[in-house]
Amino acid sequence: MKTISVLGSTGSIGRSALDVIARHPDRYSVHALTANSRVADLFEQCRTFNPVHAVLGDEAAAHEFQDLCCRHALDVEVHHGADALEAVASGDTVDIVIAAIVGAAGLLSTLAAARAGKRLLLANKEALVMSGQLLMQAAADADALIMPIDSEHNAIFQSLPATEKGICTRGIEKILLTASGGPLRNCSLEELRVVTPQQALKHPNWSMGPKISIDSATLMNKGLEVIEACQLFAVDVDDVQVVVHPESIVHSMVSYADGSVIAQMGQPDMRTPIAHALAWPERITSGVEPLDFFMVSGLHFEKPDTDRFPLLRVACEAQRQGGTAPAILNAANEVAVDAFLDGRVAFLQLSALVEKTLECSKISPANDLGTIIEADKTARDTARQLIAQAAVKTH
Ligand code: NAD
Ligand code: MG
Protein backbone atom coordinates (compact mmCIF):
# COMPACT_ATOMS: atom_id res chain seq x y z
CA MET A 1 0.00 0.00 0.00
CA LYS A 2 1.46 3.39 -1.03
CA THR A 3 0.38 6.68 0.52
CA ILE A 4 -0.15 9.73 -1.70
CA SER A 5 -0.32 13.50 -1.22
CA VAL A 6 -2.19 15.25 -4.01
CA LEU A 7 -1.13 18.91 -4.15
CA GLY A 8 -3.80 20.86 -6.03
CA SER A 9 -6.40 18.09 -5.75
CA THR A 10 -9.34 20.31 -6.78
CA GLY A 11 -7.81 21.20 -10.16
CA SER A 12 -8.11 19.43 -13.47
CA ILE A 13 -5.05 17.20 -12.92
CA GLY A 14 -5.88 16.68 -9.23
CA ARG A 15 -9.36 15.39 -10.11
CA SER A 16 -8.01 13.08 -12.83
CA ALA A 17 -5.45 11.73 -10.35
CA LEU A 18 -8.14 11.00 -7.75
CA ASP A 19 -10.21 9.24 -10.41
CA VAL A 20 -7.30 6.84 -11.04
CA ILE A 21 -6.51 6.44 -7.33
CA ALA A 22 -10.17 5.56 -6.59
CA ARG A 23 -9.89 2.60 -8.99
CA HIS A 24 -7.12 1.03 -6.89
CA PRO A 25 -8.05 1.08 -3.19
CA ASP A 26 -5.88 -2.00 -2.65
CA ARG A 27 -2.73 -0.16 -3.87
CA TYR A 28 -3.11 3.47 -2.82
CA SER A 29 -4.37 5.48 0.14
CA VAL A 30 -4.57 9.27 0.30
CA HIS A 31 -2.41 10.98 2.92
CA ALA A 32 -3.20 14.63 2.09
CA LEU A 33 -5.35 16.70 -0.23
CA THR A 34 -4.74 20.41 -0.85
CA ALA A 35 -6.59 23.29 -2.50
CA ASN A 36 -6.23 27.02 -2.72
CA SER A 37 -9.77 28.20 -1.97
CA ARG A 38 -12.38 25.70 -3.24
CA VAL A 39 -13.65 24.69 0.20
CA ALA A 40 -16.74 22.74 -0.89
CA ASP A 41 -14.86 20.71 -3.53
CA LEU A 42 -12.07 19.83 -1.12
CA PHE A 43 -14.60 18.81 1.50
CA GLU A 44 -16.33 16.40 -0.92
CA GLN A 45 -12.95 14.91 -1.87
CA CYS A 46 -12.04 14.47 1.81
CA ARG A 47 -15.36 12.70 2.45
CA THR A 48 -14.57 10.25 -0.34
CA PHE A 49 -10.85 9.67 0.23
CA ASN A 50 -10.50 10.14 4.01
CA PRO A 51 -7.03 11.75 4.05
CA VAL A 52 -5.13 12.41 7.29
CA HIS A 53 -4.48 16.05 6.30
CA ALA A 54 -6.24 18.77 4.31
CA VAL A 55 -4.36 21.97 3.43
CA LEU A 56 -5.91 25.23 2.21
CA GLY A 57 -4.25 28.30 0.74
CA ASP A 58 -5.27 30.82 3.37
CA GLU A 59 -6.46 30.98 6.95
CA ALA A 60 -10.02 32.16 6.22
CA ALA A 61 -10.61 29.24 3.84
CA ALA A 62 -9.15 26.83 6.41
CA HIS A 63 -11.60 28.11 9.10
CA GLU A 64 -14.52 27.72 6.74
CA PHE A 65 -13.35 24.20 5.90
CA GLN A 66 -12.88 23.32 9.57
CA ASP A 67 -16.47 24.44 10.35
CA LEU A 68 -17.78 22.25 7.56
CA CYS A 69 -15.83 19.26 8.93
CA CYS A 70 -17.17 19.86 12.47
CA ARG A 71 -20.75 20.09 11.24
CA HIS A 72 -20.44 16.81 9.34
CA ALA A 73 -18.21 15.03 11.88
CA LEU A 74 -15.42 14.53 9.34
CA ASP A 75 -12.14 13.66 11.02
CA VAL A 76 -9.28 15.38 9.13
CA GLU A 77 -6.40 17.58 10.32
CA VAL A 78 -6.85 21.01 8.72
CA HIS A 79 -3.90 23.31 7.92
CA HIS A 80 -3.21 26.34 5.81
CA GLY A 81 -0.27 28.07 4.13
CA ALA A 82 3.04 27.29 2.47
CA ASP A 83 4.71 25.48 5.40
CA ALA A 84 1.82 23.03 5.68
CA LEU A 85 1.99 22.35 1.94
CA GLU A 86 5.70 21.57 2.22
CA ALA A 87 5.05 19.35 5.23
CA VAL A 88 2.50 17.15 3.45
CA ALA A 89 4.84 16.99 0.41
CA SER A 90 7.80 15.76 2.46
CA GLY A 91 6.50 13.93 5.55
CA ASP A 92 7.95 10.50 6.39
CA THR A 93 4.63 8.74 5.93
CA VAL A 94 4.22 9.87 2.29
CA ASP A 95 5.45 7.68 -0.58
CA ILE A 96 4.12 9.52 -3.64
CA VAL A 97 3.54 13.24 -4.23
CA ILE A 98 1.42 14.49 -7.12
CA ALA A 99 2.55 18.06 -7.83
CA ALA A 100 -0.53 19.52 -9.54
CA ILE A 101 -0.61 23.11 -8.27
CA VAL A 102 -0.59 25.59 -11.13
CA GLY A 103 2.28 28.05 -11.59
CA ALA A 104 5.04 29.32 -9.34
CA ALA A 105 2.76 28.73 -6.32
CA GLY A 106 3.79 25.06 -6.57
CA LEU A 107 7.55 25.61 -6.54
CA LEU A 108 8.37 25.16 -2.84
CA SER A 109 6.16 22.12 -2.26
CA THR A 110 7.49 20.45 -5.42
CA LEU A 111 11.07 21.09 -4.29
CA ALA A 112 10.24 19.80 -0.80
CA ALA A 113 9.01 16.50 -2.27
CA ALA A 114 12.18 16.14 -4.37
CA ARG A 115 14.43 16.92 -1.40
CA ALA A 116 12.59 14.34 0.70
CA GLY A 117 13.26 11.63 -1.91
CA LYS A 118 9.63 10.96 -2.87
CA ARG A 119 8.27 9.51 -6.07
CA LEU A 120 7.30 12.86 -7.57
CA LEU A 121 4.56 12.87 -10.23
CA LEU A 122 5.26 16.20 -11.86
CA ALA A 123 2.45 18.14 -13.53
CA ASN A 124 3.56 21.56 -12.23
CA LYS A 125 5.88 22.30 -15.17
CA GLU A 126 6.32 25.93 -14.05
CA ALA A 127 8.30 24.72 -11.00
CA LEU A 128 10.72 22.84 -13.26
CA VAL A 129 10.99 25.75 -15.71
CA MET A 130 11.86 28.11 -12.85
CA SER A 131 14.29 25.95 -10.95
CA GLY A 132 15.31 23.26 -13.47
CA GLN A 133 18.81 22.38 -12.41
CA LEU A 134 18.13 22.90 -8.73
CA LEU A 135 15.10 20.62 -8.78
CA MET A 136 16.80 17.89 -10.83
CA GLN A 137 19.88 18.03 -8.59
CA ALA A 138 17.75 17.89 -5.42
CA ALA A 139 15.97 14.82 -6.80
CA ALA A 140 19.27 13.14 -7.72
CA ASP A 141 20.80 13.89 -4.29
CA ALA A 142 17.80 12.51 -2.40
CA ASP A 143 17.16 9.60 -4.79
CA ALA A 144 13.72 10.97 -5.66
CA LEU A 145 12.16 9.54 -8.81
CA ILE A 146 10.62 12.28 -10.95
CA MET A 147 7.88 10.81 -13.14
CA PRO A 148 6.52 13.32 -15.67
CA ILE A 149 2.73 13.35 -16.01
CA ASP A 150 2.64 16.12 -18.57
CA SER A 151 1.34 13.91 -21.40
CA GLU A 152 4.17 14.70 -23.84
CA HIS A 153 6.95 14.11 -21.32
CA ASN A 154 5.30 10.98 -20.07
CA ALA A 155 5.17 9.82 -23.71
CA ILE A 156 8.87 10.62 -24.15
CA PHE A 157 9.66 8.75 -20.93
CA GLN A 158 7.74 5.76 -22.30
CA SER A 159 9.61 6.01 -25.63
CA LEU A 160 13.04 5.93 -24.00
CA PRO A 161 14.76 2.73 -22.86
CA ALA A 162 14.19 2.24 -19.14
CA THR A 163 16.82 1.22 -16.59
CA GLU A 164 16.35 0.57 -12.87
CA LYS A 165 17.19 4.21 -12.16
CA GLY A 166 14.76 5.59 -14.69
CA ILE A 167 15.58 6.21 -18.32
CA CYS A 168 18.58 6.28 -20.62
CA THR A 169 18.99 8.89 -23.36
CA ARG A 170 21.90 7.38 -25.33
CA GLY A 171 21.54 7.24 -29.12
CA ILE A 172 18.78 9.87 -29.29
CA GLU A 173 18.71 11.89 -32.49
CA LYS A 174 15.79 14.13 -31.56
CA ILE A 175 12.91 14.41 -29.18
CA LEU A 176 9.75 15.09 -31.19
CA LEU A 177 7.44 17.03 -28.90
CA THR A 178 3.91 17.07 -30.27
CA ALA A 179 1.53 20.02 -29.92
CA SER A 180 -2.16 20.14 -30.78
CA GLY A 181 -1.71 23.74 -31.95
CA GLY A 182 -4.51 24.83 -29.62
CA PRO A 183 -7.89 26.36 -30.42
CA LEU A 184 -6.45 29.21 -32.54
CA ARG A 185 -4.19 27.13 -34.79
CA ASN A 186 -5.94 28.25 -37.96
CA CYS A 187 -6.53 31.91 -37.04
CA SER A 188 -4.89 34.67 -39.09
CA LEU A 189 -3.00 37.49 -37.35
CA GLU A 190 -6.02 39.72 -37.95
CA GLU A 191 -8.28 37.22 -36.21
CA LEU A 192 -5.79 36.76 -33.34
CA ARG A 193 -5.87 40.52 -32.71
CA VAL A 194 -9.48 40.31 -31.47
CA VAL A 195 -9.50 36.90 -29.78
CA THR A 196 -11.45 36.86 -26.47
CA PRO A 197 -10.52 34.83 -23.37
CA GLN A 198 -13.58 32.61 -24.00
CA GLN A 199 -12.31 31.71 -27.49
CA ALA A 200 -8.77 31.11 -26.26
CA LEU A 201 -9.99 28.89 -23.40
CA LYS A 202 -11.76 26.44 -25.73
CA HIS A 203 -9.17 23.73 -26.26
CA PRO A 204 -10.21 21.29 -29.00
CA ASN A 205 -8.84 18.06 -27.44
CA TRP A 206 -8.00 18.51 -23.75
CA SER A 207 -10.03 19.74 -20.80
CA MET A 208 -7.64 21.72 -18.57
CA GLY A 209 -7.37 24.58 -16.07
CA PRO A 210 -7.57 28.18 -17.38
CA LYS A 211 -3.85 29.06 -17.20
CA ILE A 212 -2.58 26.09 -19.22
CA SER A 213 -5.50 26.53 -21.66
CA ILE A 214 -4.36 30.07 -22.49
CA ASP A 215 -0.74 28.83 -22.67
CA SER A 216 -1.90 26.24 -25.21
CA ALA A 217 -3.56 28.93 -27.31
CA THR A 218 -0.37 31.06 -27.41
CA LEU A 219 1.97 28.02 -27.77
CA MET A 220 3.70 29.19 -24.57
CA ASN A 221 2.68 25.83 -23.13
CA LYS A 222 4.85 24.18 -25.80
CA GLY A 223 7.67 26.61 -25.03
CA LEU A 224 7.48 25.70 -21.33
CA GLU A 225 7.41 22.04 -22.38
CA VAL A 226 10.57 22.40 -24.50
CA ILE A 227 12.31 23.71 -21.36
CA GLU A 228 10.71 20.93 -19.31
CA ALA A 229 12.07 18.32 -21.76
CA CYS A 230 15.56 19.85 -21.66
CA GLN A 231 15.60 19.58 -17.86
CA LEU A 232 13.97 16.17 -17.50
CA PHE A 233 15.96 14.41 -20.19
CA ALA A 234 19.22 16.43 -20.05
CA VAL A 235 19.11 17.53 -23.71
CA ASP A 236 19.65 20.88 -25.47
CA VAL A 237 16.93 23.06 -26.98
CA ASP A 238 18.17 22.06 -30.45
CA ASP A 239 17.59 18.39 -29.63
CA VAL A 240 13.85 19.07 -29.26
CA GLN A 241 11.66 19.55 -32.33
CA VAL A 242 8.07 20.73 -31.83
CA VAL A 243 5.67 18.99 -34.21
CA VAL A 244 2.10 20.26 -34.51
CA HIS A 245 -0.26 17.27 -34.51
CA PRO A 246 -3.87 18.47 -34.30
CA GLU A 247 -5.44 15.08 -33.41
CA SER A 248 -3.46 14.70 -30.13
CA ILE A 249 -3.22 10.93 -30.62
CA VAL A 250 0.59 10.72 -30.76
CA HIS A 251 1.58 12.24 -27.42
CA SER A 252 5.27 12.60 -28.41
CA MET A 253 8.07 10.61 -30.03
CA VAL A 254 11.78 9.90 -29.84
CA SER A 255 13.85 9.63 -33.00
CA TYR A 256 17.01 7.48 -32.74
CA ALA A 257 20.37 7.46 -34.52
CA ASP A 258 19.48 4.26 -36.41
CA GLY A 259 16.38 5.81 -38.01
CA SER A 260 13.84 4.32 -35.57
CA VAL A 261 11.10 6.57 -34.27
CA ILE A 262 9.28 5.40 -31.14
CA ALA A 263 5.96 7.03 -30.25
CA GLN A 264 3.43 6.71 -27.47
CA MET A 265 -0.21 6.94 -28.54
CA GLY A 266 -3.57 6.96 -26.85
CA GLN A 267 -6.69 8.95 -26.15
CA PRO A 268 -6.13 12.55 -25.03
CA ASP A 269 -6.95 11.79 -21.38
CA MET A 270 -4.56 12.69 -18.54
CA ARG A 271 -5.52 9.58 -16.59
CA THR A 272 -3.22 7.54 -18.86
CA PRO A 273 0.03 9.37 -17.98
CA ILE A 274 -1.08 9.61 -14.33
CA ALA A 275 -1.70 5.84 -14.08
CA HIS A 276 1.58 5.14 -15.86
CA ALA A 277 3.55 7.38 -13.49
CA LEU A 278 1.82 6.03 -10.38
CA ALA A 279 2.51 2.38 -11.06
CA TRP A 280 5.69 2.39 -13.21
CA PRO A 281 7.22 -0.05 -14.03
CA GLU A 282 3.93 -1.87 -13.59
CA ARG A 283 0.77 -1.06 -15.57
CA ILE A 284 -2.61 -0.43 -13.97
CA THR A 285 -6.05 0.44 -15.32
CA SER A 286 -6.85 4.15 -15.66
CA GLY A 287 -10.45 4.21 -16.86
CA VAL A 288 -9.29 5.27 -20.34
CA GLU A 289 -10.60 3.27 -23.28
CA PRO A 290 -7.95 1.92 -25.65
CA LEU A 291 -7.51 3.75 -28.91
CA ASP A 292 -9.79 2.48 -31.68
CA PHE A 293 -7.66 2.80 -34.82
CA PHE A 294 -10.67 2.22 -37.05
CA MET A 295 -12.19 5.41 -35.62
CA VAL A 296 -9.05 7.54 -36.12
CA SER A 297 -9.66 9.52 -39.30
CA GLY A 298 -6.01 10.40 -39.86
CA LEU A 299 -2.83 11.63 -38.23
CA HIS A 300 -1.46 14.98 -39.43
CA PHE A 301 1.82 16.71 -38.69
CA GLU A 302 2.97 20.25 -39.46
CA LYS A 303 5.59 22.83 -38.48
CA PRO A 304 4.75 25.33 -35.73
CA ASP A 305 4.26 28.92 -36.90
CA THR A 306 6.27 31.19 -34.62
CA ASP A 307 5.23 34.31 -36.56
CA ARG A 308 1.66 33.97 -35.31
CA PHE A 309 2.67 32.29 -32.04
CA PRO A 310 6.01 33.89 -31.07
CA LEU A 311 6.02 32.72 -27.44
CA LEU A 312 7.34 29.31 -28.51
CA ARG A 313 10.41 31.04 -29.96
CA VAL A 314 10.74 33.39 -26.95
CA ALA A 315 10.69 30.42 -24.55
CA CYS A 316 13.36 28.53 -26.53
CA GLU A 317 15.55 31.66 -26.48
CA ALA A 318 15.12 31.97 -22.71
CA GLN A 319 16.28 28.36 -22.30
CA ARG A 320 19.33 29.10 -24.49
CA GLN A 321 20.11 32.14 -22.32
CA GLY A 322 19.87 29.95 -19.23
CA GLY A 323 20.30 31.14 -15.64
CA THR A 324 17.22 32.97 -14.38
CA ALA A 325 15.87 33.65 -17.90
CA PRO A 326 13.33 30.76 -17.81
CA ALA A 327 12.11 31.90 -14.35
CA ILE A 328 11.67 35.45 -15.68
CA LEU A 329 9.87 34.11 -18.77
CA ASN A 330 7.51 32.11 -16.58
CA ALA A 331 6.79 34.96 -14.15
CA ALA A 332 6.06 37.45 -16.94
CA ASN A 333 3.80 34.92 -18.62
CA GLU A 334 1.81 34.23 -15.42
CA VAL A 335 1.19 37.96 -14.99
CA ALA A 336 0.33 38.36 -18.68
CA VAL A 337 -2.13 35.43 -18.70
CA ASP A 338 -3.92 36.80 -15.61
CA ALA A 339 -4.19 40.20 -17.31
CA PHE A 340 -5.52 38.62 -20.51
CA LEU A 341 -8.14 36.61 -18.58
CA ASP A 342 -9.20 39.84 -16.82
CA GLY A 343 -9.51 41.67 -20.14
CA ARG A 344 -6.62 44.06 -19.39
CA VAL A 345 -4.39 43.06 -22.31
CA ALA A 346 -5.12 41.74 -25.80
CA PHE A 347 -4.10 38.29 -27.03
CA LEU A 348 -1.31 39.56 -29.27
CA GLN A 349 0.14 41.64 -26.41
CA LEU A 350 0.99 38.51 -24.42
CA SER A 351 4.16 37.73 -26.34
CA ALA A 352 5.28 41.38 -26.47
CA LEU A 353 4.83 41.62 -22.71
CA VAL A 354 6.90 38.52 -21.98
CA GLU A 355 9.61 39.48 -24.46
CA LYS A 356 9.84 43.03 -23.13
CA THR A 357 10.07 41.80 -19.51
CA LEU A 358 12.99 39.56 -20.49
CA GLU A 359 14.69 42.46 -22.28
CA CYS A 360 14.34 44.69 -19.18
CA SER A 361 15.61 42.01 -16.77
CA LYS A 362 19.07 41.14 -15.54
CA ILE A 363 19.79 37.45 -16.11
CA SER A 364 21.82 35.82 -13.31
CA PRO A 365 23.08 32.27 -12.73
CA ALA A 366 20.23 30.28 -11.13
CA ASN A 367 22.32 28.43 -8.55
CA ASP A 368 20.19 28.99 -5.48
CA LEU A 369 16.54 29.28 -4.59
CA GLY A 370 16.87 32.84 -3.25
CA THR A 371 18.09 34.10 -6.64
CA ILE A 372 15.27 32.32 -8.46
CA ILE A 373 12.56 33.67 -6.15
CA GLU A 374 13.98 37.18 -6.43
CA ALA A 375 14.07 36.94 -10.24
CA ASP A 376 10.44 35.75 -10.23
CA LYS A 377 9.35 38.65 -8.01
CA THR A 378 11.24 41.33 -9.96
CA ALA A 379 9.93 40.02 -13.29
CA ARG A 380 6.34 40.13 -11.97
CA ASP A 381 6.85 43.76 -10.91
CA THR A 382 8.32 44.60 -14.32
CA ALA A 383 5.49 42.91 -16.23
CA ARG A 384 2.87 44.67 -14.08
CA GLN A 385 4.55 48.04 -14.69
CA LEU A 386 4.62 47.36 -18.42
CA ILE A 387 0.91 46.60 -18.36
CA ALA A 388 0.19 49.72 -16.29
CA GLN A 389 2.19 51.93 -18.65
CA ALA A 390 0.60 50.21 -21.65
CA ALA A 391 4.16 50.31 -22.92
CA VAL A 392 3.75 47.08 -24.80
CA LYS A 393 3.33 47.49 -28.48
CA THR A 394 1.16 44.91 -30.21
CA HIS A 395 2.69 42.36 -32.48
P1 NAD B 1 -6.20 24.03 -12.35
O1 NAD B 1 -6.28 25.50 -12.40
O2 NAD B 1 -7.34 23.21 -12.83
O3 NAD B 1 -5.86 23.56 -10.84
C1 NAD B 1 -4.88 24.16 -10.08
C2 NAD B 1 -4.81 23.59 -8.67
O4 NAD B 1 -3.81 24.34 -7.95
C3 NAD B 1 -6.12 23.75 -7.88
O5 NAD B 1 -6.30 22.64 -7.04
C4 NAD B 1 -5.87 25.00 -7.03
O6 NAD B 1 -6.59 24.97 -5.81
C5 NAD B 1 -4.38 24.89 -6.76
N1 NAD B 1 -3.77 26.21 -6.54
C6 NAD B 1 -3.82 27.28 -7.38
N2 NAD B 1 -3.15 28.32 -6.84
C7 NAD B 1 -2.68 27.90 -5.64
C8 NAD B 1 -1.94 28.53 -4.61
N3 NAD B 1 -1.56 29.81 -4.68
N4 NAD B 1 -1.62 27.80 -3.51
C9 NAD B 1 -2.04 26.52 -3.40
N5 NAD B 1 -2.74 25.88 -4.35
C10 NAD B 1 -3.06 26.56 -5.45
O7 NAD B 1 -4.85 23.63 -13.13
P2 NAD B 1 -4.51 22.27 -13.93
O8 NAD B 1 -4.97 22.39 -15.32
O9 NAD B 1 -4.92 21.08 -13.12
O10 NAD B 1 -2.91 22.36 -13.98
C11 NAD B 1 -2.10 22.07 -12.86
C12 NAD B 1 -0.65 21.95 -13.32
O11 NAD B 1 -0.55 20.82 -14.17
C13 NAD B 1 -0.15 23.16 -14.14
O12 NAD B 1 1.19 23.38 -13.84
C14 NAD B 1 -0.30 22.69 -15.57
O13 NAD B 1 0.64 23.30 -16.44
C15 NAD B 1 0.00 21.20 -15.43
N6 NAD B 1 -0.60 20.37 -16.48
C16 NAD B 1 -1.96 20.33 -16.62
C17 NAD B 1 -2.54 19.53 -17.61
C18 NAD B 1 -4.04 19.41 -17.73
O14 NAD B 1 -4.50 18.60 -18.53
N7 NAD B 1 -4.82 20.14 -17.00
C19 NAD B 1 -1.72 18.82 -18.49
C20 NAD B 1 -0.34 18.89 -18.33
C21 NAD B 1 0.21 19.66 -17.32
MG1 MG C 1 1.46 18.86 -22.12
Side-chain angles (χ1 to χ4, degrees):
M1 189 69 130
K2 300 280 185 204
T3 57
I4 306 182
S5 287
V6 186
L7 313 180
S9 63
T10 54
S12 164
I13 290 285
R15 282 178 279 127
S16 291
L18 288 177
D19 183 286
V20 177
I21 291 166
R23 293 166 194 276
H24 302 280
D26 51 325
R27 293 182 72 113
Y28 305 114
S29 74
V30 176
H31 176 73
L33 296 176
T34 88
N36 194 28
S37 56
R38 282 191 219 152
V39 169
D41 292 352
L42 187 67
F43 178 74
E44 281 313 317
Q45 290 183 339
C46 287
R47 273 229 271 226
T48 309
F49 291 93
N50 241 328
V52 184
H53 303 279
V55 182
L56 284 125
D58 64 49
E59 199 171 348
H63 282 313
E64 201 186 319
F65 185 84
Q66 182 79 70
D67 284 349
L68 207 53
C69 293
C70 289
R71 266 187 277 135
H72 292 86
L74 182 69
D75 184 20
V76 55
E77 290 179 35
V78 184
H79 318 265
H80 68 269
D83 290 350
L85 261 185
E86 286 184 53
V88 298
S90 57
D92 288 344
T93 47
V94 185
D95 300 308
I96 301 174
V97 174
I98 304 186
I101 290 176
V102 60
L107 174 64
L108 297 181
S109 50
T110 302
L111 258 175
R115 286 179 173 151
K118 305 302 178 193
R119 173 177 287 218
L120 175 57
L121 271 57
L122 186 68
N124 181 211
K125 66 190 85 181
E126 295 91 347
L128 188 60
V129 167
M130 293 174 75
S131 72
Q133 276 166 343
L134 213 67
L135 180 59
M136 295 308 289
Q137 192 57 52
D141 291 347
D143 225 6
L145 175 63
I146 299 188
M147 293 295 298
I149 54 177
D150 207 348
S151 58
E152 297 78 2
H153 305 76
N154 184 269
I156 295 161
F157 184 103
Q158 295 198 47
S159 302
L160 289 167
T163 69
E164 279 157 32
K165 299 286 277 176
I167 41 151
C168 153
T169 51
R170 254 176 302 160
I172 289 186
E173 191 69 22
K174 260 207 166 29
I175 284 179
L176 304 170
L177 186 72
T178 54
S180 69
L184 311 175
R185 181 174 60 93
N186 292 320
C187 289
S188 67
L189 265 180
E190 278 317 303
E191 289 167 326
L192 291 179
R193 214 174 288 287
V194 292
V195 157
T196 63
Q198 287 68 29
Q199 289 169 312
L201 282 168
K202 268 204 197 106
H203 199 282
N205 306 338
W206 299 93
S207 153
M208 310 182 287
K211 194 263 177 181
I212 184 175
S213 296
I214 300 302
D215 286 348
S216 298
T218 60
L219 285 200
M220 176 54 125
N221 183 48
K222 221 37 66 176
L224 296 175
E225 290 186 357
V226 169
I227 301 175
E228 187 184 3
C230 290
Q231 296 297 352
L232 284 172
F233 307 116
V235 296
D236 291 331
V237 180
D238 297 324
D239 297 327
V240 183
Q241 172 66 57
V242 173
V243 179
V244 175
H245 166 49
E247 292 87 6
S248 297
I249 296 283
V250 176
H251 297 310
S252 275
M253 305 174 263
V254 178
S255 169
Y256 288 93
D258 61 6
S260 304
V261 178
I262 302 197
Q264 186 263 356
M265 290 183 266
Q267 308 272 9
D269 187 321
M270 292 306 293
R271 292 176 299 174
T272 295
I274 291 166
H276 171 266
L278 271 175
W280 184 84
E282 290 174 46
R283 294 272 179 180
I284 56 171
T285 56
S286 65
V288 179
E289 291 293 313
L291 199 58
D292 180 350
F293 276 90
F294 301 117
M295 295 298 285
V296 177
S297 55
L299 300 177
H300 297 88
F301 302 96
E302 57 193 63
K303 278 195 175 149
D305 179 350
T306 52
D307 288 336
R308 283 181 303 139
F309 303 105
L311 278 171
L312 173 58
R313 172 182 50 74
V314 175
C316 292
E317 277 164 17
Q319 176 62 8
R320 278 197 190 91
Q321 274 184 287
T324 51
I328 294 164
L329 168 98
N330 177 68
N333 182 58
E334 287 192 25
V335 171
V337 169
D338 275 349
F340 173 66
L341 286 170
D342 287 354
R344 284 179 285 129
V345 303
F347 185 81
L348 286 183
Q349 285 179 295
L350 293 169
S351 58
L353 196 49
V354 173
E355 210 162 9
K356 186 100 183 158
T357 305
L358 273 161
E359 272 167 34
C360 297
S361 301
K362 179 173 161 284
I363 314 292
S364 317
N367 299 331
D368 62 281
L369 192 57
T371 306
I372 293 166
I373 289 174
E374 186 57 33
D376 171 87
K377 184 178 171 304
T378 312
R380 280 170 200 269
D381 290 344
T382 306
R384 286 193 192 105
Q385 278 166 18
L386 288 168
I387 294 171
Q389 296 160 2
V392 189
K393 59 178 189 319
T394 44
H395 191 67

